[in-house]
Amino acid sequence: MDDVNLLFADVLPERISACETYSYFVSLGLNPETRGQDIPSGVINIEVPYDGYRCFSMETAARLRERVGKNLDRPALGQIGRLAVSMPPDWEHDWDRPAGLNQYAIQIPLRDAQMTSPDLWTADTLRAMIEKTYKPEAPTFMPLSMEMQVYDNVRDALETTQASRKLQEISQKAGNISEVLELLDGEPLQGGQMVVALAVTVFLPDFLASEQVKVTIQALKFGWPTIAPDWLMRVEAPDGPGELGFRYNPDDQSVEVPDVQALRGEPQAGSQLVPYSCLLRLTLNYPGQVIRQDELNGSARIKIEGCLLSGRLVGWLDVYGERNDEFARRIELLTLINVGFTAILSERFKHRRRAVYRQWYLRGVRLSPVRMDDIAAALRDMGYKAGQPELKTVVLKQQDVDHQVQIGVVTARRLSISDSQDPADLQLEVWALPVSLANTQRRHTLAEGGEVSTTWETSDLALQVRGQVNGPGSLLALDVDALMDQLKSRFNAVADLR
């Protein structure tokens, strides 16, 4: 390198982009398994245009000409600064970043076989491309989680995706009893449908999950055995834009889904990992061909803009050795996670989500905290872990007059374990709605003559019971019928005569 003329040049890169790539494979069985594939890779690209303006200025070119002088025939390099890359966090000890930086001197050609004249320094026709590669270690935590559920119909899928929001939905959207009944309607949608719900969650350490970070599910594909017209299938992102368009790719027999942005959530108590989640729902109107295929394979690319999964930071030191904070904000950090996944549909369909719905009408039973405690006690007697009964206030319209009334809800769940079947998680919701509010009057004739009259408010009680289970629906149906028998005997003893 003695014959190379090395000069310091006051030149700025136009763009610095750092990208890390990781690969995982997910087996979506009863117990989903995620494993890493391939060795993670990292690359930093630096682009320097010979533009005669912002990056390689006319003034810089003039100074370099003076310094090169008569040595225009010798190869020349210009050192424009240093790339600074921080050390990765110590994942074994509190995720702190060790002190120190890796610095790389960045040089661009000023004279070589292609850069034949100083006039090209400012002609805006060429640009230097510098690439630095490295191999980041895979994080000690699992940055990706995928879950798949299969449902008999759309109604069951909606119940599950909205289960955590049910109480809030009832209290905010339902202004009267009829709207509550509509929201709790148990009539399933018919027509041989199957719903596949795919949940994708990316986890980032809290010190990386800044407001600038954006997580997008890209290039999502499902292997498909036949052409998929829009009347056969519908793809939705229920927590995002809603219904999505899709296209069938005949070259690799796959259904391709548009990009969907994941939503930032809150970390669990005591966790340092911030979740970014995306839920996709595929509704199949005639699922026979897919079920016969038995295996559903797919792939996706997860794009994380704004950070490197290894935790590294990238900076720039100019030719004077000073950090340029304004330029540092233009440095692009990107992480790509390539994911392949497979699910055995027969296994998932065997353990699909099943729903049971019952409605009972109990005459003369008034809603009260005591009655709600009776429901919770009956569930506990059956081996369920019941939550605290809740009362919500809604509006009941009678004879064009609005009355505020309370409705009650109890949620419960239990785990069923037997030698002949896989464990089943049974979940129940019991909604209690007062109906037929009236004043009841009782008259009693005294032996001495005369009459005593007593008036009190009475009502009937409508109980709506909704249950869900991953596994045999017969378990849930038996429990719901047993609950009815217990509540009928309990409530008949306290019913008012009307």
Side-chain angles (χ1 to χ4, degrees):
M1 297 294 291
D2 293 338
D3 59 340
V4 176
N5 194 6
L6 181 62
L7 303 173
F8 289 91
D10 187 8
V11 175
L12 278 178
E14 180 182 61
R15 179 171 176 262
I16 298 178
S17 60
C19 178
E20 294 180 352
T21 304
Y22 301 79
S23 298
Y24 292 90
F25 185 82
V26 183
S27 177
L28 293 167
L30 292 178
N31 298 305
E33 178 188 6
T34 303
R35 58 181 182 270
Q37 287 190 319
D38 301 332
I39 299 175
S41 63
V43 60
I44 302 175
N45 288 304
I46 304 171
E47 299 181 26
V48 184
Y50 298 85
D51 59 352
Y53 181 46
R54 294 183 182 277
C55 298
F56 202 128
S57 67
M58 291 289 189
E59 292 79 5
T60 298
R63 288 194 296 268
L64 287 174
R65 283 191 182 94
E66 294 177 0
R67 293 165 61 189
V68 170
K70 298 180 180 180
N71 296 322
L72 290 177
D73 294 333
R74 288 178 57 190
L77 292 174
Q79 183 162 318
I80 64 173
R82 290 181 177 272
L83 181 71
V85 182
S86 73
M87 303 296 289
D90 187 349
W91 299 116
E92 302 296 331
H93 299 91
D94 298 328
W95 296 2
D96 289 333
R97 282 197 181 91
L101 291 172
N102 290 320
Q103 296 189 31
Y104 307 93
I106 304 301
Q107 299 167 351
I108 62 172
L110 296 177
R111 179 74 174 178
D112 60 12
Q114 191 173 13
M115 188 70 64
T116 57
S117 169
D119 294 338
L120 293 175
W121 297 345
T122 57
D124 201 14
T125 57
L126 299 176
R127 65 177 49 216
M129 306 289 291
I130 301 100
E131 181 180 280
K132 296 291 183 182
T133 61
Y134 62 96
K135 293 190 178 300
E137 294 183 359
T140 56
F141 61 91
M142 189 58 68
L144 172 73
S145 171
M146 295 183 70
E147 294 182 0
M148 178 180 286
Q149 295 285 356
V150 177
Y151 306 90
D152 282 337
N153 51 54
V154 175
R155 174 68 64 180
D156 297 346
L158 286 173
E159 289 172 2
T160 300
T161 57
Q162 295 174 357
S164 62
R165 294 171 287 181
K166 181 65 73 174
L167 283 176
Q168 182 180 3
E169 182 182 81
I170 292 294
S171 61
Q172 291 183 353
K173 292 187 177 180
N176 54 56
I177 292 292
S178 63
E179 292 178 5
V180 173
L181 290 171
E182 182 178 347
L183 283 169
L184 297 178
D185 181 18
E187 186 67 26
L189 299 177
Q190 303 298 325
Q193 288 181 326
M194 183 176 79
V195 178
V196 177
L198 181 67
V200 182
T201 305
V202 176
F203 297 97
L204 292 178
D206 52 7
F207 65 86
L208 292 181
S210 67
E211 296 296 328
Q212 289 73 36
V213 169
K214 179 181 176 182
V215 179
T216 307
I217 313 301
Q218 295 184 320
L220 179 61
K221 292 184 178 182
F222 297 94
W224 215 252
T226 184
I227 294 175
D230 54 5
W231 54 265
L232 177 66
M233 182 174 65
R234 187 169 71 253
V235 181
E236 299 169 283
D239 293 332
E243 187 166 351
L244 302 171
F246 66 91
R247 67 181 294 267
Y248 179 73
N249 188 339
D251 294 334
D252 56 4
Q253 289 190 306
S254 65
V255 169
E256 300 177 351
V257 181
D259 297 351
V260 183
Q261 186 172 345
L263 301 179
R264 190 182 195 274
E266 293 298 326
Q268 296 183 356
S271 174
Q272 294 177 278
L273 296 176
V274 178
Y276 292 79
S277 302
C278 174
L279 177 65
L280 293 171
R281 191 168 60 223
L282 281 75
T283 303
L284 313 179
N285 289 325
Y286 299 95
Q289 287 181 312
V290 178
I291 295 175
R292 285 194 297 271
Q293 173 181 276
D294 195 35
E295 192 171 80
L296 182 64
N297 298 315
S299 63
R301 181 177 63 244
I302 299 173
K303 181 180 180 182
I304 307 173
E305 300 174 85
C307 74
L308 299 175
L309 189 57
S310 69
R312 287 175 169 84
L313 298 177
V314 178
W316 177 256
L317 304 178
D318 63 20
V319 70
Y320 305 107
E322 296 179 355
R323 188 176 68 181
N324 189 324
D325 292 330
E326 180 180 353
F327 180 80
R329 286 192 287 269
R330 304 206 307 264
I331 297 176
E332 301 173 11
L333 303 180
L334 176 67
T335 299
L336 297 178
I337 301 178
N338 295 316
V339 186
F341 59 90
T342 185
I344 306 301
L345 287 179
S346 58
E347 181 182 84
R348 302 306 305 163
F349 202 69
K350 177 183 176 183
H351 296 275
R352 66 191 183 276
R353 197 74 162 175
R354 292 175 171 89
V356 173
Y357 174 82
R358 298 285 189 276
Q359 179 170 292
W360 309 321
Y361 195 89
L362 304 170
R363 296 189 177 277
V365 178
R366 285 179 289 175
L367 177 65
S368 67
V370 176
R371 299 288 79 80
M372 297 306 299
D373 289 339
D374 287 341
I375 295 173
L379 288 166
R380 294 188 185 102
D381 290 345
M382 296 167 55
Y384 280 82
K385 183 178 180 180
Q388 184 67 27
E390 295 189 57
L391 292 175
K392 295 284 182 180
T393 301
V394 295
V395 178
L396 175 65
K397 184 179 288 292
Q398 280 189 330
Q399 298 177 351
D400 297 328
V401 178
D402 292 341
H403 301 278
Q404 285 194 341
V405 298
Q406 288 186 316
I407 62 174
V409 62
V410 181
T411 59
R413 67 191 305 168
R414 77 176 179 91
L415 187 65
S416 174
I417 302 176
S418 65
D419 296 334
S420 59
Q421 294 177 331
D422 293 318
D425 183 20
L426 291 81
Q427 301 176 34
L428 285 177
E429 283 184 347
V430 183
W431 292 84
L433 298 91
V435 292
S436 302
L437 300 181
N439 290 327
T440 297
Q441 188 177 63
R442 179 177 296 171
R443 293 185 176 87
H444 178 67
T445 302
L446 301 176
E448 298 82 4
E451 185 179 74
V452 176
S453 176
T454 304
T455 301
W456 71 99
E457 291 185 353
T458 62
S459 70
D460 297 336
L461 192 65
L463 290 183
Q464 303 220 7
V465 181
R466 310 176 66 78
Q468 298 182 79
V469 62
N470 281 353
S474 57
L475 289 173
L476 202 55
L478 290 172
D479 278 5
V480 171
D481 293 339
L483 177 64
M484 179 181 180
D485 290 338
Q486 283 207 37
L487 294 182
K488 283 179 65 176
S489 61
R490 285 174 183 257
F491 288 176
N492 284 340
V494 297
D496 295 316
L497 297 176
R498 304 178 68 179

